[in-house]
Amino acid sequence: NQIAIFDGHGGAKQFGSNALAVAVNSSGTILYDIYNGISLDCREGTFTIALYPSNATVPYPSNQDNDYGAGGGFGINDRGDVVGFYRDSNFNTAGFYYHNGSSIELLPAGYSGEGTGFVALGINNAEIIVGRAGPNATGSPHAFAWSNGVFTDLNSVLGADCRDWTITSAQAVNNHGYIIGTAQLGNDEHGVILVPRP
C-alpha cells in the first residue's frame, strides 16, 4: 500500500509502501499508521501511529508488549482523540484511547487472554467509542460502545423485534450517536445502522 497526502493548501506528504491512511476529522487532521514488520494487511509487526500535518506520534499505553508490537489507529474525532488497538504485556489484544497526550487501555472483564480481541474502531466528539469485542466465552464477536468508563454490548440494547440479530462490529459513530457496523442474521452478514432511541 502506498499513500500520498495532499492537504488542499499546496502541502503534501509522500509515503512509500509502509503506510496506511485510516481516518480524517473535520479539521483535516489525518490519522495514519506506519509499519515495520511482516504484514500491513494483517497488522503484524511494529506500528507507529501518527497525525498529519503535525507528524506527531500517538503513543500506545505504557503496558505495550515490546516484543510483538501489533497495533494501529482506526478512528479520530475533531478534538484529535484517537482510538485503535495494540497488544499489551499480558498478550491481550486490547483497544486503546488517546486523550490529552496519553493513552489508556480499553479491555473489560471477560476479554483477557491470548487469542481474544478487543478493538476500538471509532470515536465521536462526545467521546463515545465503538468497536468489536471478542470472541470471548460467547464464541462470537460482539459490537460495543464505551462511554464515561462504561462498556455496553450493543446487542443488549436492541429492541425486542431485533433480538434475532447479532451485532458483530461497530465501525464508526457520528456526533448524533448513529453507529454503522455489521451484523449477522442466521448465517448471513449484513451492513447495519443503529439509530439511538429518542
Side-chain angles (χ1 to χ4, degrees), residues 22-99:
V22 292
V24 63
N25 66 15
S26 64
S27 65
T29 298
I30 297 169
L31 176 67
Y32 65 96
D33 296 336
I34 304 169
Y35 88 103
N36 297 299
I38 302 167
S39 168
L40 182 60
D41 293 333
C42 296
R43 296 207 172 242
E44 296 176 348
T46 302
F47 281 80
T48 300
I49 304 167
L51 304 171
Y52 177 85
S54 70
N55 296 318
T57 58
V58 175
Y60 290 104
S62 59
N63 67 338
Q64 182 185 14
D65 176 6
N66 293 321
D67 294 327
Y68 185 83
F74 283 116
I76 185 172
N77 68 12
D78 292 338
R79 295 182 178 93
D81 301 321
V82 172
V83 294
F85 85 103
Y86 76 114
R87 184 164 169 157
D88 72 17
S89 56
N90 293 315
F91 308 109
N92 299 309
T93 299
F96 76 86
Y97 167 48
Y98 171 75
H99 176 73

Side-chain angles (χ1 to χ4, degrees), residues 100-116:
N100 287 339
S102 63
S103 294
I104 62 168
E105 182 175 66
L106 301 176
L107 188 68
Y111 289 94
S112 61
E114 192 166 5
T116 61

